[in-house]
Amino acid sequence: MTTEMKFHVLTLFPHMVTGGLLTGVTGRAAEKKIISLNAVNIRDYTADKHGKVDDYPYGGGAGMLMQAQPVFDAWKSVTGGRNIRTIYVTPQGVPFTQKTARELSRERELVFLCGHYEGIDERVLEKVVTDSFSIGDYILTGGELPAMVMIDAIARLIPGVLGNQASPEEESFHNDLLEYPQYSRPEVWEGVPVPGVLLSGDHRKVEEWRLEQSEARTAARRPDLYGKYREKQQVIKMLSKEKRNNIHIMESLSSGKGEILYAKEDRLLVYDRASRLCMINARDLVSGEKLADMIPEETGLAVVSEEFLTEILQERGYRISSRCRQLLYTRKETLPVKYKDIRSVSMEYFPYICAHYHGEDAEWAEYVRERILAGDMYGAFAEGRPAGFIGIHSEGSLGMLFVEEAYRGRGIGASLEAFGVNRILEKGRTPFVYVEDRNELSLRLQEKLGFIQAKKTFFWLEKSACK
C-alpha cells in the first residue's frame, strides 16, 4: 500500500524545483514521508552526446522546441509505462483552481511535465499527457514555477500536511466564499482598532461577523463565486423543509464538499468529488433516469432514498451495498463522555484499526490511513491498549464504530459516539449517522444519545471497489 503521495517533476532545472518545494510546509511533509518529491532532469535522457534536448520546429518559426525522445524516456523512467496521471504545465491548459487541487489531492501519484522554449513536440504530449493546466493568462519562461504552485496547492490538502487540519477548510475559496478579514496584535495600529466583535469572546457573534464579511467581500470581488454560493444556500433552504431526510446533502453543501450538478424543484444531483459520492433526489422514473445520466463517470458510490432509483442505478452497473436508517443529532449542546480515555489516534494504531475494519482490503486500508491523517479517527483505551474506535467519514457522517468484545458493556461504545458527536459540533456541523436497517441495538443507542430518525430508508450503492 502506498504510504505517501508521490510527485514526479520532469524538468530541465531539478534544483529549482527541489529548492522551492523541499522547504517550509511541503518540506516538512516530505521529511515526515507524507509526500515525496522526485525531480527528474530531462537532459539525463537525451541521446545527444552534448546533452541537447531541443531542435528547430518543422515548418519554421521563431525559437526552439523540446524533442519527443528525451521527454518520453524521462517519463518512462518514473512511470515504467504505467498509466499515471500526467500533467502538462502550459498556458494553453484549462485554468487550475482550488477545485482542481482538491480533486488531484485524491491521487496517490502525479507526474508534472515542465516545458521550455516554444514548447514540446506534440507527438509525445499526445502519448503521455492526461491533463493540461494553466495557472493564468500570462507567459513564463518555463513550467517549473506553475508546477511548484500546483504541487503546493495540492499538497496542503493532503491529510497530515498541515498541522491544523481545520486550516484547509477555513480559507479563501472555501465553500465558494472568500476568506473574511483577519487581525492580530496590537489591538490598535496606526489609529485603526481591531473590530470590537473579535474582542467580545462571543464565538457565535464572531462566526456571524466572519460569515457576513466573507459574503460581502465575495459579492464585491468575485460575483461569479457569490452566485454559486447563493445557489447552494437556496438549495439548502429548500432541503431544510425535510431536514431529517436531507441532512446528508445539506451537510455536504454546507461544508463545501458537495457540488450541485442539477437542482430544480424536487430533483437534485449533488456530487462529493473527494468521496466520489453522488446524492440523488428524484420524484419519478423519468427524472431519475435524467439525473442518472448526469452522474460523473468516476463516481464510485451513490446514496438514494427512493427504491426506483436503486433499480435505475443497478441497470447502470451499481449494486446495493447496504440498506440503512439515517439519524441526526439536532441539539446544540455537547454530550457527556462518561468513559474518559478517548483521544485522536495516530498512524501507530493504523494496523489495529485495519484489522478490525474490513480486514486486509487494500482500498479500505488506504481509506483508514486518510481518516487517521485527517484527524478524524478516535480511539478508546483500556489497560494501556486500544479497546475500540470511531471515525468521521469523508462525506461527514459519523461511523466505523467498533468495541472489542472483552470491553463491551462498559459504556465505551456510547462514549465513543458522544465523543465523535462533540467533535462534529465543534466544527459547526450537524452530526448524522447511518445504521443498518436491522441493527436494532445500534438504533436504540442512537435514540438514547438523542438522535432522531429520518422517515425514509436509505440505500447505499457502489459501482466498484471503493471507499
Side-chain angles (χ1 to χ4, degrees), residues 73-299:
D73 287 352
W75 175 85
K76 194 171 181 180
S77 75
V78 299
T79 65
R82 291 175 295 140
N83 184 26
I84 297 176
R85 199 161 181 180
T86 299
I87 296 165
Y88 179 40
V89 182
T90 169
Q92 300 176 34
V94 298
F96 180 83
T97 64
Q98 186 70 11
K99 177 180 171 183
T100 309
R102 191 167 295 281
E103 176 194 343
L104 292 174
S105 72
R106 302 288 297 180
E107 300 287 337
R108 301 313 313 150
E109 197 167 3
L110 291 170
V111 178
F112 287 82
L113 173 57
C114 304
H116 270 273
Y117 314 123
E118 293 303 306
I120 300 176
D121 190 306
E122 187 68 22
R123 291 168 295 184
V124 72
L125 298 179
E126 292 176 353
K127 191 172 185 66
V128 308
V129 171
T130 59
D131 305 88
S132 295
F133 290 118
S134 167
I135 63 167
D137 294 335
Y138 45 84
I139 308 298
L140 298 172
T141 55
E144 283 75 17
L145 287 173
M148 291 160 65
V149 166
M150 293 181 200
I151 291 171
D152 186 274
I154 295 165
R156 66 188 304 279
L157 296 173
I158 297 169
V161 169
L162 295 182
N164 177 9
Q165 196 54 37
S167 296
E169 297 179 4
E170 299 172 0
E171 58 187 10
S172 296
F173 306 113
H174 171 63
N175 203 13
D176 298 316
L177 285 178
L178 299 181
E179 192 173 31
Y180 46 80
Q182 300 203 60
Y183 302 84
S184 184
R185 290 184 290 183
E187 189 175 319
V188 178
W189 179 80
E190 294 286 312
V192 181
V194 171
V197 66
L198 299 179
L199 307 173
S200 68
D202 188 324
H203 296 295
R204 183 181 61 82
K205 288 184 178 179
V206 169
E207 290 305 314
E208 289 175 353
W209 179 86
R210 286 174 169 173
L211 177 60
E212 290 171 0
Q213 294 294 312
S214 287
E215 289 177 337
R217 179 170 284 190
T218 308
R221 300 181 183 180
R222 291 292 303 274
D224 55 326
L225 284 180
Y226 189 67
K228 292 173 63 179
Y229 168 76
R230 291 300 302 159
E231 180 188 16
K232 279 189 179 181
Q233 298 312 302
Q234 290 165 5
V235 170
I236 290 171
K237 183 177 180 180
M238 175 190 72
L239 293 172
S240 67
K241 296 175 183 177
E242 290 188 38
K243 186 175 181 178
R244 295 189 188 188
N245 293 324
N246 296 318
I247 189 61
H248 59 306
I249 306 178
M250 294 171 64
E251 281 299 296
S252 180
L253 294 174
S254 296
S255 67
K257 296 177 181 177
E259 173 188 351
I260 298 171
L261 301 186
Y262 186 89
K264 188 174 182 180
E265 297 173 350
D266 53 357
R267 290 162 287 174
L268 181 65
L269 177 62
V270 172
Y271 185 50
D272 181 336
R273 196 170 298 276
S275 300
R276 297 195 295 126
L277 167 67
C278 268
M279 293 157 275
I280 312 169
N281 282 353
R283 62 185 177 185
D284 50 38
L285 279 168
V286 174
S287 59
E289 292 277 1
K290 179 178 179 179
L291 293 177
D293 289 339
M294 298 171 65
I295 294 176
E297 180 63 30
E298 67 272 18
T299 301

Side-chain angles (χ1 to χ4, degrees), residues 8-9 15 29 45 49 56 87 100-101 127 144 152 156 163 197 228 255 301 346 402 414 441-442 447 454:
H8 306 280
V9 183
H15 294 300
Y45 296 87
K49 63 181 180 180
Y56 293 103
I87 296 165
T100 309
K127 191 172 185 66
E144 283 75 17
D152 186 274
R156 66 188 304 279
V197 66
K228 292 173 63 179
S255 67
L301 292 167
S346 64
F402 169 79
L441 185 64
S442 182
E447 291 172 359

